[in-house]
Amino acid sequence: MKRILIVGGGSSGWMTAAYLSKAYGCKVKISLIEAPSIPKIGVGEATIPNLQKVFFDFLGLKEQDWMPHCNASFKSAIKFVGWNTRSDPDDYFYHMFGQLKEVNGIPLSHYWAHLRNAGQISEPFAYACYNKAKLLDAKLSPKARDGKSCMSHAWHFDAHLVANYLRDLAVSWGVEHIEGEVVETRLNEDGGIKSVRIQSGAEIAADFFVDCSGFKGLLINQALGEPFIDMSQYLLCDSAVAGSITHDDEANGVEPYTSAIAMSCGWTWKIPLLGRFGSGYVYSSRFCSKDTATEDFLKLWGVREDQVKLNHIKFRTGRNRRAWVKNCVSIGLSSCFLEPLESTGLYFIYAAIYQFAQHFPDATLDPRLADSFNKKIEVMFDDCRDFIQTHYFTTKRNDSDFWRANKHELKISDSLREKLSAYNAGLVVCPPVTTNESDYYGNFDLEFSNFWTNSNYYCMFTGLNWVPERSHPKLGYHDEWMKQALVEFQHLKREEEAFAATLPTTYDYLLNIRGTRSN
Ligand code: TRP
């Protein structure tokens, strides 16, 4: 192939442009067309740890290169607030990054559950089985002053800044930046895309097209007619009201985690950046009007409507039947979207880019490449959908029609049913291929079958007060194993204390890498 045209210039467009330029730019001419008049949807975004290894490392960018350009801060977990009772600030638990330690090949989660069922441990799961929950409470940085990483972490940032930063980079690597709005798409005889025409009348042809046009799916849905499979039977939320809230970092510190605060018809994200945080109430329009959602959102942060610029978003939950059709691949919102609960939005983008680069076609466009790619995207999406869905129907909240509907109405896939029953039987659900953190984030986390592992299921389910009915039967036969696990629990505590004594606060660390105290 000689020429690729990316349509759309949000996070997905520019991430694709930068990545493909690095991977194939010396042989393929890459152009990106973007309409300055169409606003980007990106708000404050939360990511997951493999962003660095999978995406930025490939571009040759270290954390310290890109972070300051994007007002980026750290994220070491998701804090779920109010998911067990109605708005009690003490009702919270952490969904941690990283894989649990194992003792005799069995993850610590299972020793914890055994002790818990026997009434011998009262400490919550995340505090007993990881060495960082208290560090999160204290808002400590995941990195030491010398830059050494002490816990796996991801980032919060302003998606507009990331798009701009990657645009400058991609353009400096030779990506052609065309400004204009696509008004027409022309097809060729085999039904693939031939060219797009922009307002100015110019027609731009290419061998291959990447649809990054957002929810409207300009090429994949509108021009090629690929159906979008709606998944609203699995997840009820379809709307959000979002804004940016100013924050006194000096007085309150910067939280090194995303918060997900349960509300009466959904939940609110809180994504701390320096000097402000991005926030949005994700709700179901079936149960809550736009006005009520807005009112509840403003009330949550104690601000008036004239103090914050609100952004109302309507989203479609689901995926295209096929993400790649003929000579067009969809990446980002034009391909698939879940709701933002587990920070999968940007992940879906670079996971798709990565897979596309692995399946990169030549001019023959062998359909088996597209088939294999499409299968991957399908598994990635459906598996994330299932995991997110569990948060809604395992919570005991039932104080509104929204929460009650989540308990009784949702469609649940067979593969999820199997996982839930394995969990309840005391088995290890989706064991990770490796517990070595850097190997995990380097390779294995990209295998969609290994994305949500036992650690994730345990964080969420125990946080929602669902401990398996039975502990792992194997443990009952080995008294000495339990002693070894207790030693490991102690060990984690000592590591945690040592980190607590040396790590700077997240606020201090971020100021340091910025080299300034002002925003
Ligand atoms: N394998 C992913 C990771 O650990 C799973 C994940 C996605 C996740 N979103 C998350 C884990 C949010 C904790 C919190 O990166």
Side-chain angles (χ1 to χ4, degrees):
M1 295 197 304
K2 295 216 165 45
R3 183 162 193 199
I4 293 198
L5 180 65
I6 300 165
V7 174
S11 329
S12 65
W14 286 113
M15 284 178 104
T16 306
Y19 195 102
L20 290 186
S21 161
K22 185 85 183 181
Y24 297 103
C26 52
K27 294 254 176 177
V28 187
K29 173 169 177 177
I30 298 166
S31 307
L32 182 147
I33 177 165
E34 130 176 86
S37 55
I38 301 179
K40 298 185 183 65
I41 200 166
V43 250
E45 300 272 355
T47 57
I48 59 170
N50 67 12
L51 170 71
Q52 181 62 40
K53 290 228 162 82
V54 178
F55 186 75
F56 283 120
D57 280 358
F58 182 77
L59 299 187
L61 299 169
K62 301 204 191 59
E63 249 187 325
Q64 61 267 33
D65 299 328
W66 63 267
M67 277 186 74
H69 293 275
C70 307
N71 192 16
S73 64
F74 290 128
K75 163 182 175 186
S76 299
I78 300 181
K79 182 176 185 174
F80 284 82
V81 185
W83 285 74
N84 285 299
T85 52
R86 198 195 174 97
S87 64
D88 174 353
D90 289 335
D91 166 16
Y92 74 83
F93 63 91
Y94 291 115
H95 181 191
M96 302 296 227
F97 287 132
Q99 299 303 317
L100 289 163
K101 293 248 161 53
E102 291 179 352
V103 171
N104 297 302
I106 296 188
L108 279 181
S109 47
H110 288 65
Y111 293 90
W112 178 87
H114 190 86
L115 292 168
R116 179 73 170 221
N117 283 344
Q120 288 166 10
I121 195 167
S122 56
E123 204 175 23
F125 171 74
Y127 286 82
C129 296
Y130 293 83
N131 57 10
K132 49 198 167 197
K134 286 193 182 145
L135 310 178
L136 297 173
D137 288 341
K139 304 180 192 172
L140 296 184
S141 156
K143 298 185 101 181
R145 278 178 227 282
D146 62 3
K148 194 173 154 284
S149 178
C150 296
M151 40 177 141
S152 46
H153 63 274
W155 303 268
H156 295 135
F157 49 59
D158 180 327
H160 291 101
L161 297 179
V162 173
N164 292 346
Y165 174 67
L166 292 173
R167 177 194 61 208
D168 294 347
L169 198 73
V171 168
S172 78
W173 290 345
V175 170
E176 181 193 20
H177 183 193
I178 306 167
E179 289 192 299
E181 189 172 336
V182 172
V183 288
E184 194 190 339
T185 308
R186 299 223 164 102
L187 303 186
N188 49 35
E189 316 75 67
D190 71 0
I193 297 174
K194 179 165 167 262
S195 63
V196 298
R197 201 165 55 78
I198 55 179
Q199 272 154 333
S200 67
E203 185 171 337
I204 305 149
D207 303 304
F208 201 95
F209 293 80
V210 186
D211 186 345
C212 296
S213 66
F215 287 129
K216 60 172 144 341
L218 205 63
L219 307 183
I220 193 93
N221 303 120
Q222 291 185 22
L224 295 176
E226 186 63 10
F228 182 80
I229 305 178
D230 169 84
M231 303 268 187
S232 52
Q233 332 84 284
Y234 293 87
L235 290 165
L236 302 178
C237 290
D238 60 2
S239 309
V241 46
S244 177
I245 313 278
T246 51
H247 182 255
D248 185 348
D249 297 341
E250 187 107 31
N252 306 308
V254 175
E255 294 168 343
Y257 43 76
T258 308
S259 295
I261 305 158
M263 308 279 283
S264 71
C265 292
W267 63 281
T268 291
W269 76 75
K270 179 184 185 192
I271 295 184
L273 303 168
L274 272 176
R276 64 191 174 89
F277 58 87
S279 180
Y281 179 9
V282 178
Y283 62 94
S284 165
S285 61
R286 215 180 105 197
F287 296 93
C288 181
S289 71
K290 190 169 152 187
D291 289 349
T292 311
T294 305
E295 204 179 299
D296 288 354
F297 176 68
L298 295 171
K299 202 161 23 159
L300 178 69
W301 300 123
V303 289
R304 288 192 320 267
E305 192 147 7
D306 57 329
Q307 294 172 308
V308 29
K309 195 173 160 298
L310 294 175
N311 188 5
H312 293 275
I313 302 162
K314 182 96 189 149
F315 54 84
R316 58 176 198 182
T317 304
R319 61 169 165 81
N320 291 328
R321 188 180 57 187
R322 292 170 301 173
W324 173 349
V325 178
K326 299 188 188 286
N327 65 343
C328 173
V329 67
S330 52
I331 292 184
L333 301 177
S334 60
S335 168
C336 57
F337 186 65
L338 280 170
E339 62 142 284
L341 190 51
E342 285 287 354
S343 328
T344 50
L346 283 163
Y347 168 67
F348 281 173
I349 295 174
Y350 60 81
I353 297 173
Y354 169 85
Q355 289 298 343
F356 180 59
Q358 300 299 314
H359 291 82
F360 203 71
D362 56 21
T364 56
L365 279 183
D366 186 334
R368 285 169 296 191
L369 296 173
D371 291 347
S372 166
F373 173 89
N374 287 336
K375 187 73 212 159
K376 296 244 178 218
I377 299 299
E378 198 176 307
V379 172
M380 167 189 89
F381 182 87
D382 293 1
D383 194 50
C384 287
R385 176 202 65 203
D386 286 355
F387 183 68
I388 290 183
Q389 194 190 28
T390 63
H391 305 12
Y392 286 101
F393 66 76
T394 55
T395 163
K396 302 206 174 41
R397 275 192 76 142
N398 66 351
D399 50 281
S400 69
D401 288 342
F402 170 78
W403 291 108
R404 284 187 286 275
N406 270 296
K407 214 138 285 142
H408 305 296
E409 287 182 20
L410 299 186
K411 178 168 169 186
I412 297 171
S413 75
D414 291 342
S415 84
L416 180 56
R417 279 185 205 283
E418 278 167 30
K419 286 176 192 150
L420 299 176
S421 79
Y423 177 81
N424 234 351
L427 293 171
V428 181
V429 204
C430 305
V433 201
T434 174
T435 56
N436 176 300
E437 214 109 302
S438 96
D439 288 347
Y440 180 77
Y441 287 118
N443 293 311
F444 296 109
D445 190 30
L446 271 178
E447 288 307 320
F448 299 133
S449 55
N450 219 247
F451 188 67
W452 305 107
T453 65
N454 181 70
S455 311
N456 304 109
Y457 282 96
Y458 259 83
C459 278
M460 285 311 303
F461 290 168
T462 61
L464 293 166
N465 272 322
W466 176 25
V467 179
E469 282 159 14
R470 313 191 43 199
S471 38
H472 203 311
K474 234 173 134 182
L475 295 182
Y477 294 91
H478 300 278
D479 293 341
E480 73 289 1
W481 286 12
M482 206 49 72
K483 293 199 192 89
Q484 290 162 1
L486 289 172
V487 171
E488 191 52 49
F489 285 130
Q490 282 310 318
H491 183 63
L492 290 172
K493 284 270 164 307
R494 283 201 301 276
E495 281 176 343
E496 185 168 66
E497 283 156 16
F499 286 142
T502 55
L503 290 174
T505 65
T506 305
Y507 179 51
D508 275 339
Y509 189 94
L510 294 173
L511 285 182
N512 232 346
I513 56 171
R514 276 198 166 199
T516 162
R517 281 216 157 237
S518 79
N519 297 315

